Amino acid sequence: MRAINNWLEKCTNKYDQSAGIYINFLRTEVLFKEFLKSRNTKTKVKTELGGNPMGVRVVTGRSILAAIMGLGVAFSAQAGKYPDIGPLPQLKINKAKAELGKRLFFDKRLSGDAAISCATCHDPKSGYAHPDALSPGYPGNGHFRNAQTVVNAAHKKVWNHDGRIGTNLNDMTREMLTEDYIMNMDMRIMQERVKQDPVYVKMFKDAGYGEPSNGSVRKAIPEYLQTLTSRNSLFDKGKMSASAKKGMALFKGKGGCIQCHNGPLLTDQKAHNTGVAENFDIFLDPNNHQAFIAFTMFQGVPDYMNLKRDPGYYNVTLLKQDIGKFITPQLRELKYTAPYMHNGMIKTLADVVEFYNQGGGKDSRKDSALKPLDLSKAEKKDLLAFLNALSGDQLTSDEHVWKGKYPAEYEVIADWNNVKN
Amino acid sequence: MKKVTKLRFTVLAAAITTTFVLGCVGQATAGGIPPLASLDTLDVPIPPDNKQSPAKVELGKILFFDPRIGGDASTGCSTCHEPDQGWAWSEDFSRGYPGTVHWRNSQTIINSAFYPRQFWAGSASSNEKQAKSAATGGVAGNGESDIMEARLALIPDYVTRFKDVFGTEWPLITDVWLAISAFERTMNTLGKHEAPLDKYLKGDKSALNEQQIKGKALFEGKAGCIQCHNGALVTDSDYHNIGVPPNKRWEEDGLAQITFRFEQYAKGQTQEGYRKAKSDWGFYYRSKNKWDRGKFRTPSLRYAAYTAPYMHNGVFMSLEEVVDFYNVGGKDEEGRTTLFPENMDKRIKPLGLNDDEKEALVAFIESMSGPEITMKKPTMPPYAPLFTKAQLQAAQEAK
């Protein structure tokens, strides 16, 4: 170990002018040491080293999976034939587990400084998205992307605007909890907080998880997320207006939307470049920019200090052609989830329709499927009516929202000296 | 970077730590007891790879006070090492990161650079390593390297200073630890903050009063304190179990119970240990030897007049209480002691001091503290955007 350290020490902090890649060996070293030191307490210790020596992508297990999944969900799409945009399949739900997940989702004690919960950014009143263009961040920083809805997230195969998670909602939940610019939670502290609350102790037991643990938190929250699915949209009920029906025809026909927005969720779950303009607030507000830098640094995106745009799917593949691509979002619940796009740059659905009418935004790598559509005023209205018909009931009753109070203080465990920890 | 996500109990870590541990115990055992000496007989240890410079010290000072070196930009080093509270925190347990409480007493940073190892159980081998673990520890700074490094890049004053001091284009988080350590190495009781004891030891016999001189004799004689609190730093820098009882807050405070269990994980407890631990096992977490349970590093008694409460868990509110504790052989006023009496140092036994003697001993300990070290908090350099709107627009055009 010492030999390795010496070697690492020697190469500390070199700046590779030619590649323009900032090489921070000490960081590698620190991570490596952490790995050796605590193999058993910290499993997932980085194979994912930011700013690695050769400027070559150390592809993370996760990213690989994301990439593979991205391909996996590529429906055998031949020209003109796309998976049908029918209703969503039913999900099997374990009530006790979902109920526990619900309480966790709204509980601020699941963040490092106990100031924010999942619902702070995924707000039921905003369709479990956030009404700001750029999501709030963990206290002390902002964010660089729009917080999208988590309704129907359980039906997806690829998560985040850049699709960097392609495994399951358990990993997605871990990502949200542990990312320093999101909830910054040390899972060990989280576990002990949960164990300190008798309501949780009972709920975990009733759910069949036994003693509260960080692992079962990451199972219970996804179970709850499964309950958040669209219901009673006019589209699903077959009760669309005549205008919406015309809109659907445009969606599948002249508008060409179906090429990317297909299947029950109206997404191919693949990455495309639509040329959405950058949100300058990412870079003009240092609070947002710091989260962006931390993210790109950790992900090992080259030259992250000089980036002036969100690299999007490039972050997963590091292939130039993927710069500016984002995963096609689902189009359900749009009524509640404005503003739109990965960075909230489009404020209303009417503006989105206009955006496509003009053939998308400006980007040399823009998807060739996007061309000016030449829609009439009436056609735009119809398309809008269709998009609105895809939203169901708001999920704001206590069936989905934990409305109970959380204790202001942690209860003390009685007879502490004589009970097992 | 992500936080720790999975919990396992450590078995392997023991093997790694023992090698370090062996190298540093028992300094005071060979060749009798080093006598008390003035602090200026010691050199501030400066590691060859972190030389001092005024610019580095100044940078380290600003960083020490900057709460952005931490998770939610609220809790920096000075938050728990308050200049007005002896550069420590005057509660039994240190305040913690928001939403937590610490489980140990906050140590003063004054003279900390003289110790071969930092922390109550010596878990850090240098100020540099200590600073990192303070800034990132879940109940301390709870910061992650990448977000902290990102912040620094957006603070133009830091960018200039880091470039000047370390020659890097952008500030590196690892250099933060170097700069803070350089600052800490200047935070000592040399020079104008010299203690009366130092003056006395250098020949100014009027520096101590009669009571203190009597206390000195007790310290070196009947009370036996010198056996562990010796040399210029007034410590053998070794680890002993002297009988400090567990803090009752663990029985009474839910928040403290959470941290207690978390620390068992964080310190690499075994599954069984996690279940049954009811006090801080101290040096054991490093050595994994059962005879090290309840051992802590002998603290320097310098500057102690300003750093109440005392002991690793702050159970004693005053020096008087500490002396009472020693006088009855390592028990508090209710007769409580360490949960590992089998490990107690044999030299801790009832002393039979009368009230006068106890007062004299306290007065002598007070003579180890000179003038209080105060400091005006530096103003924090502000953030500024890295790019102009025009630059962003140009990038947009070039897409």
Side-chain angles (χ1 to χ4, degrees):
Chain A
M1 190 172 141
R2 173 153 310 157
I4 297 165
N5 285 345
N6 287 345
W7 173 76
L8 283 163
E9 219 97 42
K10 255 191 252 150
C11 342
T12 298
N13 310 334
K14 291 213 180 108
Y15 184 66
D16 182 335
Q17 290 284 349
S18 57
I21 294 162
Y22 192 63
I23 302 167
N24 177 350
F25 272 92
L26 209 57
R27 198 155 165 267
T28 313
E29 177 220 26
V30 166
L31 292 168
F32 183 73
K33 274 191 195 157
E34 268 171 10
F35 171 67
L36 285 181
K37 216 166 53 192
S38 43
R39 266 217 268 277
N40 297 330
T41 51
K42 306 184 183 184
T43 33
K44 289 253 167 161
V45 181
K46 324 302 154 198
T47 38
E48 10 187 3
L49 302 178
N52 57 82
M54 301 308 151
V56 177
R57 181 92 174 135
V58 180
V59 184
T60 75
R62 225 180 38 205
S63 301
I64 296 174
L65 257 165
I68 293 171
M69 292 304 295
L71 295 175
V73 291
F75 303 97
S76 56
Q78 297 146 9
K81 284 209 114 192
Y82 298 98
D84 205 24
I85 52 175
L88 288 164
Q90 288 290 313
L91 296 172
K92 256 179 56 196
I93 287 153
N94 176 312
K95 270 215 152 128
K97 290 181 174 153
E99 191 65 9
L100 168 60
K102 188 192 344 179
R103 191 170 191 258
L104 292 164
F105 190 86
F106 290 87
D107 193 340
K108 294 185 173 164
R109 295 173 294 181
L110 260 66
S111 64
D113 62 359
I116 60 169
S117 72
C118 307
T120 303
C121 304
H122 303 289
D123 183 352
K125 291 198 288 296
S126 303
Y128 292 82
H130 198 280
D132 291 348
L134 298 175
S135 171
Y138 183 68
N141 59 259
H143 205 287
F144 49 92
R145 285 187 182 150
N146 180 259
Q148 72 272 65
T149 180
V150 295
V151 175
N152 299 327
H155 292 286
K156 296 180 70 179
K157 298 274 183 291
V158 175
W159 293 273
N160 293 315
H161 292 294
D162 56 8
R164 69 182 176 278
I165 293 201
T167 47
N168 51 51
L169 281 178
N170 184 317
D171 283 345
M172 191 57 225
T173 302
R174 184 202 0 240
E175 165 103 352
M176 290 286 133
L177 287 168
T178 58
E179 229 9 291
D180 50 16
Y181 56 88
I182 300 186
M183 292 176 87
N184 196 35
M185 186 77 247
D186 185 319
M187 301 283 250
R188 300 170 300 188
I189 296 179
M190 178 186 73
Q191 171 177 303
E192 299 309 334
R193 283 183 185 165
V194 170
K195 277 169 82 170
Q196 196 71 26
D197 182 339
V199 176
Y200 276 132
V201 173
K202 180 163 186 320
M203 287 180 94
F204 275 80
K205 201 156 163 245
D206 293 349
Y209 289 133
E211 191 181 20
S213 71
N214 121 67
S216 31
V217 167
R218 284 186 287 114
K219 288 185 188 134
I221 290 178
E223 194 73 22
Y224 160 71
L225 292 177
Q226 298 212 41
T227 69
L228 300 177
T229 68
S230 291
R231 31 175 91 191
N232 298 326
S233 73
L234 295 172
F235 167 74
D236 289 328
K237 289 195 294 188
K239 288 193 178 159
M240 287 201 294
S241 66
S243 168
K245 280 181 188 152
K246 276 192 259 168
M248 180 158 93
L250 287 165
F251 190 91
K252 295 184 179 177
K254 183 177 173 188
C257 319
I258 191 84
Q259 298 169 84
C260 306
H261 295 282
N262 51 45
L265 279 177
L266 300 99
T267 166
D268 57 2
Q269 304 197 58
K270 290 201 284 182
H272 304 280
N273 185 329
T274 60
V276 172
E278 290 309 311
N279 187 333
F280 290 170
D281 288 342
I282 297 173
F283 306 98
L284 294 178
D285 180 344
N287 282 307
N288 296 333
H289 198 185
Q290 68 176 258
F292 178 82
I293 293 172
F295 167 73
T296 47
M297 183 196 306
F298 178 71
Q299 293 285 327
V301 179
D303 203 21
Y304 57 84
M305 283 309 300
N306 288 318
L307 288 182
K308 294 184 188 69
R309 62 181 300 188
D310 187 331
Y313 189 55
Y314 173 73
N315 161 50
V316 176
T317 63
L318 285 201
L319 299 172
K320 273 229 161 70
Q321 70 255 30
D322 292 329
I323 293 177
K325 283 188 188 171
F326 293 89
I327 303 292
T328 312
Q330 58 166 319
L331 297 183
R332 289 170 173 275
E333 309 310 311
L334 292 170
K335 210 156 126 188
Y336 315 112
T337 61
Y340 304 100
M341 306 303 182
H342 70 277
N343 54 9
M345 277 301 275
I346 305 187
K347 287 204 174 58
T348 67
L349 278 182
D351 292 346
V352 175
V353 169
E354 190 48 45
F355 168 82
Y356 282 111
N357 192 38
Q358 290 173 14
K362 178 186 169 299
D363 197 310
S364 57
R365 296 192 186 86
K366 191 169 71 179
D367 198 299
S368 58
L370 296 177
K371 302 224 166 61
L373 299 174
D374 202 16
L375 299 173
S376 71
K377 231 179 175 175
E379 286 173 325
K380 285 193 247 175
K381 234 183 91 200
D382 294 340
L383 199 48
L384 190 59
F386 172 63
L387 292 178
N388 275 317
L390 293 166
S391 301
D393 300 339
Q394 267 197 297
L395 309 177
T396 47
S397 76
D398 23 329
E399 191 190 341
H400 297 101
V401 176
W402 184 270
K403 294 193 171 155
K405 274 219 152 111
Y406 296 97
E409 270 179 25
Y410 291 98
E411 236 174 80
V412 63
I413 292 171
D415 195 21
W416 188 75
N417 280 326
N418 299 309
V419 297
K420 275 195 166 181
N421 291 331
Chain B
M1 195 197 299
K2 290 186 188 51
K3 297 261 143 196
V4 176
T5 56
K6 230 186 179 168
L7 330 175
R8 295 261 179 81
F9 294 97
T10 313
V11 189
L12 223 153
I16 300 167
T17 37
T18 352
T19 35
F20 293 126
V21 171
L22 289 177
C24 65
V25 287
Q27 274 127 328
T29 48
I33 296 168
L36 293 174
S38 66
L39 191 60
D40 57 15
T41 58
L42 292 180
D43 289 326
V44 183
I46 310 288
D49 53 358
N50 190 20
K51 294 259 157 40
Q52 300 286 107
S53 78
K56 195 190 274 183
V57 170
E58 180 62 17
L59 172 58
K61 169 175 155 182
I62 305 170
L63 291 166
F64 186 86
F65 284 93
D66 195 334
R68 290 167 294 192
I69 303 299
D72 64 359
S74 73
T75 312
C77 312
S78 70
T79 309
C80 304
H81 301 282
E82 240 313 314
D84 294 345
Q85 301 183 24
W87 298 81
W89 185 258
S90 35
E91 283 181 273
D92 49 358
F93 293 149
S94 173
R95 55 153 294 166
Y97 183 73
T100 73
V101 64
H102 209 283
W103 80 320
R104 283 183 182 160
N105 180 256
S106 175
Q107 294 166 294
T108 183
I109 61 142
I110 302 300
N111 292 333
S112 71
F114 288 108
Y115 289 108
R117 301 188 69 98
Q118 275 74 19
F119 283 134
W120 280 106
S123 57
S125 62
S126 67
N127 284 76
E128 284 79 359
K129 296 211 168 71
Q130 189 287 326
K132 181 189 178 237
S133 81
T136 56
V139 296
N142 199 26
E144 292 286 340
S145 299
D146 42 17
I147 191 104
M148 295 189 286
E149 194 167 286
R151 284 179 187 150
L152 297 171
L154 299 171
I155 302 169
D157 183 55
Y158 279 142
V159 175
T160 314
R161 285 175 189 271
F162 275 83
K163 190 180 240 165
D164 179 30
V165 173
F166 297 106
T168 56
E169 187 185 15
W170 300 108
L172 289 179
I173 195 68
T174 43
D175 288 336
V176 171
W177 317 138
L178 301 189
I180 288 178
S181 301
F183 165 67
E184 286 176 327
R185 292 193 174 99
T186 67
M187 298 304 292
N188 52 48
T189 57
L190 292 168
K192 68 177 185 204
H193 297 292
E194 215 174 43
L197 175 66
D198 293 309
K199 298 198 172 100
Y200 180 86
L201 291 170
K202 288 195 285 185
D204 176 0
K205 294 297 163 197
S206 69
L208 298 192
N209 62 28
E210 216 171 290
Q211 188 189 33
Q212 289 167 329
I213 292 169
K214 181 175 163 195
K216 181 170 183 288
L218 290 163
F219 191 92
E220 294 167 328
K222 182 173 172 189
C225 317
I226 190 90
Q227 297 171 95
C228 303
H229 298 280
N230 52 41
L233 197 56
V234 200
T235 169
D236 57 1
S237 295
D238 205 347
Y239 306 88
H240 313 281
N241 180 332
I242 59 163
V244 174
N247 191 313
K248 279 196 184 165
R249 248 173 101 176
W250 287 321
E251 298 166 40
E252 297 156 0
D253 176 349
L255 199 59
Q257 293 179 339
I258 291 171
T259 301
F260 181 89
R261 292 192 305 272
F262 157 68
E263 287 291 349
Q264 304 307 315
Y265 273 126
K267 298 268 184 294
Q269 256 293 13
T270 59
Q271 169 81 268
E272 193 204 354
Y274 167 85
R275 295 291 172 199
K276 72 174 192 202
K278 294 293 168 184
S279 68
D280 186 339
W281 290 10
F283 190 63
Y284 166 88
Y285 298 119
R286 292 178 49 216
S287 77
K288 302 290 187 280
N289 293 324
K290 63 176 193 282
W291 57 85
D292 287 328
R293 289 178 189 164
K295 287 187 184 169
F296 293 90
R297 189 195 67 191
T298 311
S300 169
L301 300 183
R302 293 182 170 281
Y303 210 64
Y306 303 105
T307 64
Y310 302 102
M311 304 301 176
H312 69 276
N313 54 10
V315 287
F316 300 126
M317 292 300 143
S318 64
L319 290 172
E320 285 78 5
E321 282 183 33
V322 173
V323 168
D324 283 339
F325 159 84
Y326 280 112
N327 197 32
V328 295
K331 293 188 177 71
D332 72 5
E333 52 185 12
E334 293 169 33
R336 297 164 72 245
T337 186
T338 170
L339 299 186
F340 305 103
E342 69 279 12
N343 294 342
M344 232 169 109
D345 195 290
K346 300 284 169 291
R347 293 166 291 187
I348 303 296
K349 44 185 174 234
L351 302 174
L353 303 176
N354 63 29
D355 286 354
D356 279 354
E357 289 172 324
K358 287 196 285 187
E359 277 166 34
L361 201 48
V362 169
F364 175 61
I365 297 172
E366 280 165 356
S367 80
M368 298 179 196
S369 301
E372 189 168 5
I373 300 175
T374 55
M375 187 175 282
K376 202 169 154 271
K377 293 185 184 179
T379 39
M380 291 299 111
Y383 285 125
L386 202 56
F387 307 129
T388 63
K389 206 160 181 183
Q391 285 174 312
L392 295 168
Q393 251 143 11
Q396 176 101 294
E397 290 307 314
K399 272 202 333 193

